[in-house]
């Protein structure tokens, strides 16, 4: 590590971006940008772009863009999700602004280069990696994109015999660690995550209680507060309004059913990944499955995954201690451990790309 460099690790997620810097600062912000809808909104806000908590607060006055919604720019082709032309440009611009904002929040020392490691889904295609590199080029002097679950494993020193499952908003990334950088073929990315649970919970609620007024954002907040997948007699009672009148509602079943939709795909993904491994490694990996990402906080998920692995002879599942910063701090640690020569090569590559 070189004292004259600002090193920054970023977990650039669909839902949130967390960043950690070698100067000790860390910050989390939603991966979203709000642009004032018209000049009245612009005057009221006094700014051309809005980030962070204020996006939610002033959402009615803003055009909000989440650059990675539905996996856009990240793991699917933009045309596949119907995003082309100006809409796609707005997503790219939003991605760039979020990264720049995250870096400025780190208050890097002026005049010193900024080197960054950014976590992206494990199977991010070459084309989409390019989009991420473009988004990062103004904020960093040199940047390296690595797989998100790898940053979690690296940060926790679980570089060997570990299977990382990063349960994010847009994707679930599964990555085996064999003491070296994992290849793309070894990893599995499932195109689902917390966003899908929120949408499912909302539709379950609309079916069970059609009179209740509930938004996707409220559904996510309820999930984050009560979310569980186990079969204990726990109840989730929430005050909601119907025709403007507040009343307590039992949302246990609609919520549990929505959260449980993650279990089967994760277990199947693990089967797919385990099957590809050398038989000697299979048992060792199964004994050390590490859940990360916001979705790892769903209560009882670790136990249900363990149950789902019975057919393979069982497994042991644990959760990361800090699902918000595990990725960013792992990325920072990696940035600080890379040699000065390696960073210099990356810097020259990025300068060449900028000049092209
Ligand atoms: N306590 C909680 N219980 C259940 N889910 C939670 C909790 N906290 C956060 N989440 C969910 O985790 C998801 C966000 O996870 P995370 O921040 O790891 O995603 P991300 O990194 O932004 O997305 P991705 O990795 O897919 O790009 C959201 O769906 C959020 O609602
Ligand atoms: Mg993530």
């Amino acid at each position: 590590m070189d004292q004259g460099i600002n090193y920054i690790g970023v977990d650039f997620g669909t839902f949130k971006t967390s960043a950690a810097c070698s100067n000790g600062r860390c910050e989390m912000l939603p991966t979203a940008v709000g642009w004032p809808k018209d000049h009245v909104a612009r005057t009221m806000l006094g700014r051309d772009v809005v980030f962070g908590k204020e996006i939610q607060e002033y959402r009615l006055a803003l055009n909000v863009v989440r650059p990675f919604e539905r996996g856009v720019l990240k793991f699917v082709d933009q045309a596949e999700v119907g995003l082309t032309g100006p809409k796609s440009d707005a997503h790219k611009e939003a991605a760039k602004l979020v990264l720049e904002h995250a870096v400025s929040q780190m208050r890097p020392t002026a005049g010193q280069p900024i080197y960054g490691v950014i976590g992206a889904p494990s199977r991010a295609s070459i084309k989409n990696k390019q989009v991420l590199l473009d988004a990062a080029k103004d904020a960093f002097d040199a940047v390296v994109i690595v797989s998100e679950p790898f940053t979690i494993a690296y940060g926790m020193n679980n570089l060997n015999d570990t299977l990382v499952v990063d349960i994010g908003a847009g994707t679930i990334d599964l990555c085996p660690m064999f003491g070296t950088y994992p290849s793309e073929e070894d990893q599995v990315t499932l195109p689902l995550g917390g966003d899908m649970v929120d949408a499912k919970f909302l539709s379950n609620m609309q079916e069970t209680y059609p009179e209740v007024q509930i938004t996707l954002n409220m559904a996510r907040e309820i999930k984050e507060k009560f979310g569980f997948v186990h079969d204990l007699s726990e109840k989730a009672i929430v005050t909601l309004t119907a025709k403007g009148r507040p009343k307590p509602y039992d949302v246990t079943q609609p919520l549990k059913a929505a959260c449980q939709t993650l279990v089967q795909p994760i277990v199947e993904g693990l089967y797919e990944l385990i099957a590809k491994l050398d038989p000697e490694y299979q048992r060792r990996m199964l004994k050390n499955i590490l859940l990360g990402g916001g979705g790892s906080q769903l209560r009882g998920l670790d136990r249900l995954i363990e149950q789902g692995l019975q057919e393979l002879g069982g497994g042991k599942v644990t959760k990361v201690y800090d699902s918000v910063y595990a990725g960013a701090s792992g990325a920072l640690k990696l940035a600080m451990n890379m040699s000065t020569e390696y960073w210099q090569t990356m810097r020259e590559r990025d300068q060449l790309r900028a000049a092209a």
Side-chain angles (χ1 to χ4, degrees):
M1 175 187 164
D2 182 334
Q3 299 294 344
I5 307 279
N6 299 288
Y7 296 96
I8 298 182
V10 183
D11 180 355
F12 201 19
T14 306
F15 177 67
K16 62 110 183 64
T17 296
S18 26
C21 183
S22 47
N23 64 14
R25 287 204 169 78
C26 58
E27 195 74 50
M28 195 264 273
L29 68 145
T31 308
V33 171
W35 279 288
K37 276 187 178 160
D38 51 30
H39 60 262
V40 178
R42 164 75 189 74
T43 311
M44 188 262 297
L45 292 160
R47 265 158 303 158
D48 291 324
V49 260
V50 176
F51 299 99
K53 286 197 192 91
E54 287 183 343
I55 292 185
Q56 183 58 18
E57 202 172 314
Y58 298 114
R59 66 188 180 281
L60 298 179
L62 298 169
N63 286 321
V64 179
V65 174
R66 276 178 74 187
F68 301 138
E69 64 185 344
R70 288 173 288 143
V72 183
L73 302 186
K74 225 173 175 186
F75 70 100
V76 291
D77 200 291
Q78 294 145 52
E80 264 178 43
V81 284
L83 259 195
T84 45
K87 247 186 150 181
S88 147
D89 291 346
H91 280 66
K92 286 183 189 163
E93 179 66 11
K96 178 171 159 337
L97 290 175
V98 168
L99 268 188
E100 285 173 12
H101 187 69
V103 169
S104 74
Q105 295 291 93
M106 298 295 100
R107 291 193 234 141
T109 309
Q112 292 185 356
I114 303 176
Y115 292 169
V117 170
I118 299 181
S122 32
R123 306 272 301 199
S125 67
I126 301 297
K127 179 172 167 197
N128 293 332
K129 264 191 194 150
Q130 190 55 50
V131 172
L132 295 180
L133 285 170
D134 288 346
K137 74 174 189 294
D138 292 343
F140 296 91
D141 293 286
V143 77
V144 176
I145 311 260
V146 296
S147 129
E148 276 178 28
F150 173 74
T151 61
I152 295 177
Y154 194 86
M156 293 187 64
N157 252 343
N158 275 348
L159 292 174
N160 204 10
D161 293 346
T162 305
L163 231 156
V164 184
V165 183
D166 179 4
I167 310 168
T171 58
I172 298 179
D173 296 295
L174 297 99
C175 170
M177 295 297 309
F178 313 101
T180 167
Y181 190 75
S183 74
E184 294 219 350
E185 301 73 57
D186 287 334
Q187 305 179 54
V188 174
T189 290
L190 309 172
L192 46 100
D195 282 353
M196 186 197 74
V197 174
D198 304 344
K200 183 78 187 127
F201 175 42
L202 183 65
S203 77
N204 290 352
M205 282 297 288
Q206 285 159 345
E207 234 170 71
T208 319
Y209 302 115
E211 72 284 9
V212 160
Q213 294 168 298
I214 177 169
T215 62
L216 192 59
N217 198 40
M218 288 160 72
R220 184 179 47 75
E221 282 175 2
I222 297 170
K223 175 198 73 178
E224 289 177 6
K225 187 158 177 215
F226 294 97
F228 58 89
V229 291
H230 52 64
D231 275 324
L232 301 180
S233 54
E234 190 172 343
K235 289 241 171 297
I237 313 284
V238 194
T239 302
L240 295 165
T241 51
K243 296 201 177 117
R245 288 171 204 276
K247 207 177 104 181
Y249 286 86
D250 183 347
V251 305
T252 312
Q253 271 318 316
L255 177 61
K256 191 168 85 178
C259 295
Q260 283 186 338
T261 55
L262 291 183
V263 179
Q264 198 52 28
I266 293 178
V267 170
E268 279 167 20
L270 285 169
Y271 272 56
E272 183 189 331
L273 203 143
I274 292 285
K276 285 198 244 169
L277 301 178
D278 183 319
E280 271 180 44
Y281 274 100
Q282 295 182 353
R283 283 253 43 84
R284 276 149 62 180
M285 291 281 180
L286 280 166
K287 280 200 195 128
N288 200 6
I289 297 173
L290 181 65
L291 302 188
S296 67
Q297 300 308 300
L298 287 174
R299 282 172 298 137
L301 185 60
D302 44 356
R303 265 177 293 152
L304 273 197
I305 295 175
E306 283 183 357
Q307 277 172 23
L309 293 171
Q310 289 303 339
E311 246 181 72
L312 295 180
K316 171 118 189 56
V317 183
T318 47
K319 303 180 198 180
V320 296
Y321 56 89
D322 179 353
S323 68
V324 175
Y325 286 109
S329 51
L332 171 62
K333 188 169 154 192
L334 185 58
M336 296 189 350
N337 284 346
M338 284 173 173
S339 69
T340 312
E341 297 73 39
Y342 182 79
W343 275 119
Q344 193 52 37
T345 320
M346 288 296 118
R347 190 172 185 182
E348 282 157 18
R349 178 205 65 179
D350 289 352
Q351 280 165 351
L352 280 176
R353 190 180 298 122

